[in-house]
Amino acid sequence: MLHWEHKTGQKTFESPKGGKHNMNQSNEIVIQTRGLSKSFGEVKALKSLDLAVPKHSIFGFLGPNGAGKTTAIKLLLGLTRPTSGGGTIFGLDIGRDSVEIRKRVGYLAQYPQYYEHMTARETLRFTARFFYTGPKAEIEARVAETLELVGLAGKADRPIKGFSGGERQRLGIAQAQINYPDLLILDEPAASLDPQGRRDVLEVMERLRKYATIFYSTHILDDVQQVSDTVAIVNHGELVAQAPLEELLVGSEGTVYSVVIKGDPSQAHGRVVGQPWVSGIRATTAEGQTAWQVSVTDEAVAEATLLRLLLSDESVTVTEFGRKQYELEDVFLSIVKEDNNE
Amino acid sequence: MSSNSALQPVNERGWRSGFANLLRNENLEWWGSRRWLTQAGLWLLILNGMVTLVMFVTPAVMQVTQDDNAGAMDPISMGIPAFFQMGATALAIGTVILVQGEVVGERQSGITEWILSKPVARPAYFLAKMVAHSIGIFAVMIGFQSTVTYGLFWLANGDPLPLLPFLVGVGGLTLHTFFYLTLTLVLGVFAKTRRQVLGVAMGSLFGGMLLLNIIGRLGLITPWSLPNILPALVIQIPLPFATAFMPILMTAIWSIGFIAAALWKLSRLEF
């Protein structure tokens, strides 16, 4: 099971390698919050959020519905005021310097709304003029380029009221990045899209990562696993995990190898479990095959020795061997479940 | 992000951040669509139709029907109250209907949130709407109509009316309409639904008329007596200073108060 340790109000990820991941170690932090909290009357929507989003990361902000993701995003953008705590984006205060921050940010709301009578081109032109005064030809070129990027060039001059959910979302992404933002904040960017639309959005995000930091909330864990490099999980308004995706997927059980063998495993089991670098074996048997989850304490030795050890035993045949990879969904659910039980 | 150095960044600061773009957009709503034409036609029909009716059609009908009062009727003394008194009320109703959904509708739909996620200062959002509507309403619903009305008065009178008193009347009409414009916009910032906006604004207009009949002195501190005073100012009937100018002064003060209240509330709104 993954282990989460409370540390001065923040839950810090403890990696299997023994090191605690501290986001402050990163040289360039784009978003930094300290004790960011928001209450609506008696309801605490966000409790002391401490985030650190590294530059050029695709930062997945995960949580179940109602966890406080949108509230956090609105606080970052100055659309809502914190009850306590605060934060910075590009080193600028999210409360005091909100307009300056928004000059360098692109935002896509969860349910984006635009003037229905406007066309996509008019909407992007209107958006672009919040950032640029001219020249007119350059603005038009940027609008056309952005429409092309999101695949709306063919529908550029149709009123938005006739757009499908997917087309609106594409327009949302277009308007969010028209100003060449240094930071893109996307609230559930792929939630209302079909698989093709989702793939397109992820592609756009991948393409933009070399220019911008992308902070996005989602509950589609497959997407996170595909594109994110860093992840934070919120539950009931509280940050329960924050770590690079790689570390999160490794799990806190340490390094675990997954082995499937045919034949009598008893001799092999004795040989493996007797190794000093093996901390445990969890075995299950099904359809004449035995599956082992071998936990090891020394990754390097295990990598060099474990398979060789198994292959040297002629009474078994190894049909599968590899380092166990956790699915983000497993990790997410276990963290949220653990948090709910606390 | 990689950028295009040929693009010139916006340099607005403070409360003006985003104002020019928002104003351009709001002006486009008036002048880039058929709105101005529709409103010009509509108010030509309502205001100058009413003036034409009382100054030209009614006397002609009375003459045809050989009404005894036909000769005693002075078209100008009927036209001025029709335009300035009834017109003030009609313009207030029209303004409330026209702008009722401007702020509250955008707040409800999420457009305000979208706009405020750009480098836009909150005062700029409100002021752009107020300025654009003030320009549109004044130009199309008051300025153009007043010019036509002045022509009709000239036609009915044979000579032009004294210009200055007429312009004072138009100024009063503008102020009265501006009061209901700012009231409706501020209600859009405070209220949660269009119905609330419409209810309170219309309640102020019609309730004020009723209250004025019960407590006459309310006319000194509200805009409710303005429609009654304007014809007297245009005809140049001498009025006590307080009766003539207190409602004008107070209407201006109320309007400024509404703007201040809207800006205060908007700075605290959460989206």
Side-chain angles (χ1 to χ4, degrees):
Chain A
M1 192 58 58
L2 290 163
H3 171 68
W4 307 99
E5 182 186 89
H6 286 274
K7 187 186 176 189
T8 60
Q10 180 187 359
K11 291 177 177 179
T12 313
F13 178 74
E14 187 177 338
S15 80
K17 292 165 190 166
K20 283 185 185 120
H21 182 79
N22 182 353
M23 300 304 291
N24 289 332
Q25 287 166 353
S26 176
N27 291 332
E28 289 183 271
I29 297 295
V30 174
I31 300 175
Q32 177 104 53
T33 66
R34 281 277 168 262
L36 191 64
S37 306
K38 180 67 186 175
S39 298
F40 298 102
E42 295 295 304
V43 180
K44 289 182 177 172
L46 203 62
K47 299 170 199 167
S48 198
L49 181 71
D50 293 345
L51 271 184
V53 178
K55 192 174 181 180
H56 290 303
S57 61
I58 297 189
F59 194 101
F61 193 45
L62 316 183
N65 288 338
K69 304 186 296 287
T70 299
T71 302
I73 284 175
K74 288 185 175 184
L75 286 165
L76 293 175
L77 288 163
L79 293 168
T80 301
R81 285 182 305 167
T83 309
S84 62
T88 58
I89 296 180
F90 314 121
L92 298 165
D93 187 89
I94 58 170
R96 207 178 44 239
D97 309 313
S98 188
V99 174
E100 283 305 308
I101 288 170
R102 281 181 265 138
K103 284 181 181 172
R104 296 171 61 188
V105 171
Y107 168 58
L108 170 65
Q110 187 171 5
Y111 305 106
Q113 294 292 331
Y114 313 104
Y115 290 111
E116 295 285 301
H117 63 274
M118 279 190 185
T119 65
R121 192 187 304 279
E122 286 167 345
T123 302
L124 293 185
R125 190 182 293 141
F126 174 54
T127 311
R129 285 193 174 276
F130 283 120
F131 302 94
Y132 307 111
T133 55
K136 198 177 169 187
E138 291 293 334
I139 290 177
E140 291 304 316
R142 176 62 181 154
V143 167
E145 178 190 21
T146 311
L147 284 165
E148 195 68 50
L149 179 82
V150 297
L152 281 178
K155 295 186 173 177
D157 298 307
R158 292 189 196 169
I160 293 168
K161 64 183 165 211
F163 275 26
S164 67
E167 287 164 347
R168 280 169 187 269
Q169 205 72 358
R170 285 157 189 258
L171 179 63
I173 289 173
Q175 63 81 34
Q177 53 103 58
I178 192 117
N179 58 318
Y180 304 97
D182 294 322
L183 170 66
L184 265 170
I185 297 180
L186 313 173
D187 195 358
E188 299 280 4
S192 60
L193 300 178
D194 57 22
Q196 175 66 43
R198 268 174 56 198
R199 204 176 63 190
D200 291 348
V201 167
L202 297 182
E203 274 176 23
V204 171
M205 285 165 69
E206 282 278 23
R207 216 177 304 156
L208 294 175
R209 90 185 303 165
K210 64 179 167 186
Y211 306 113
T213 305
I214 301 173
F215 179 84
Y216 75 109
S217 77
T218 186
H219 61 266
I220 305 173
L221 302 173
D222 282 353
D223 294 353
V224 178
Q225 207 160 341
Q226 272 188 56
V227 296
S228 299
D229 41 43
T230 316
V231 165
I233 300 175
V234 279
N235 190 34
H236 300 309
E238 218 165 349
L239 184 69
V240 289
Q242 183 171 197
L245 187 65
E246 260 179 19
E247 287 186 17
L248 209 58
L249 292 179
V250 164
S252 66
E253 292 172 313
T255 305
V256 176
Y257 283 86
S258 192
V259 182
V260 179
I261 50 178
K262 269 184 186 171
D264 178 11
S266 52
Q267 205 177 333
H269 185 276
R271 196 176 292 174
V272 171
V273 87
Q275 300 299 319
W277 39 269
V278 173
S279 57
I281 299 179
R282 197 186 302 158
T284 51
T285 308
E287 295 171 6
Q289 298 204 107
T290 304
W292 286 351
Q293 304 286 321
V294 184
S295 301
V296 301
T297 52
D298 190 328
E299 197 182 327
V301 177
E303 197 171 302
T305 320
L306 182 57
L307 183 60
R308 198 166 295 144
L309 208 61
L310 291 164
L311 292 173
S312 66
D313 186 343
E314 289 180 358
S315 59
V316 294
T317 309
V318 179
T319 57
E320 280 177 40
F321 179 86
R323 194 171 154 172
K324 183 178 175 183
Q325 276 291 315
Y326 286 84
E327 286 300 311
L328 184 58
E329 191 169 336
D330 303 331
V331 177
F332 175 80
L333 288 174
S334 74
I335 290 170
V336 169
K337 195 174 163 190
E338 193 175 292
D339 185 62
N340 288 343
N341 291 338
E342 275 178 12
Chain B
M1 200 172 204
S2 78
S3 61
N4 178 346
S5 57
L7 287 164
Q8 294 154 0
V10 166
N11 279 320
E12 289 169 320
R13 289 276 183 275
W15 70 266
R16 284 176 299 131
S17 296
F19 179 76
N21 189 34
L22 288 167
L23 183 61
R24 185 189 299 115
N25 188 52
E26 294 291 340
N27 278 333
L28 262 176
E29 298 281 312
W30 264 98
W31 308 103
S33 68
R34 289 186 174 189
R35 182 190 276 183
W36 70 271
L37 195 62
T38 312
Q39 293 298 326
L42 181 70
W43 291 97
L44 192 68
L45 197 72
I46 294 172
L47 295 179
N48 285 299
M50 198 157 58
V51 170
T52 305
L53 190 74
V54 298
M55 288 205 310
F56 300 105
V57 180
T58 308
V61 171
M62 287 170 87
Q63 272 186 348
V64 169
T65 57
Q66 295 182 325
D67 191 308
D68 294 341
N69 296 324
M73 290 193 69
D74 171 23
I76 295 296
S77 63
M78 290 196 300
I80 287 175
F83 183 70
F84 287 100
Q85 196 171 7
M86 293 165 72
T89 306
L91 282 167
I93 295 170
T95 301
V96 170
I97 292 170
L98 193 66
V99 299
Q100 47 152 331
E102 274 301 310
V103 180
V104 75
E106 291 190 1
R107 275 175 53 212
Q108 281 177 321
S109 69
I111 286 177
T112 311
E113 180 191 325
W114 171 53
I115 288 174
L116 294 181
S117 73
K118 305 301 170 200
V120 171
R122 294 186 178 204
Y125 173 72
F126 180 85
L127 293 173
K129 284 193 180 298
M130 194 194 74
V131 171
H133 281 295
S134 299
I135 294 169
I137 289 170
F138 176 76
V140 173
M141 290 161 60
I142 300 174
F144 170 61
Q145 307 303 334
S146 300
T147 309
V148 175
T149 307
Y150 191 76
L152 290 175
F153 286 159
W154 192 337
L155 195 68
N157 198 36
D159 285 314
L161 291 187
L163 188 60
L164 191 61
F166 184 83
L167 289 178
V168 169
V170 172
L173 204 59
T174 305
L175 187 61
H176 187 258
T177 310
F178 185 66
F179 171 88
Y180 283 97
L181 170 67
T182 54
L183 173 64
T184 313
L185 289 176
V186 74
L187 286 170
V189 177
F190 278 86
K192 289 198 167 84
T193 64
R194 283 175 191 238
R195 206 174 291 176
Q196 288 172 349
V197 173
L198 207 57
V200 176
M202 289 297 189
S204 161
L205 183 64
F206 294 112
M209 288 179 193
L210 291 173
L211 275 175
L212 203 58
N213 289 329
I214 301 164
I215 312 165
R217 294 184 71 81
L218 277 177
L220 294 176
I221 56 164
T222 64
W224 297 328
S225 64
L226 254 186
N228 305 333
I229 293 163
L230 294 180
L233 292 176
V234 177
I235 300 169
Q236 294 179 280
I237 295 171
L239 289 173
F241 181 82
T243 309
F245 291 102
M246 275 302 283
I248 292 174
L249 181 68
M250 290 310 294
T251 304
I253 290 173
W254 276 109
S255 303
I256 293 166
F258 290 152
I259 297 167
L263 297 182
W264 174 81
K265 178 67 179 173
L266 198 58
S267 71
R268 280 157 181 77
L269 272 185
E270 302 201 328
F271 298 92

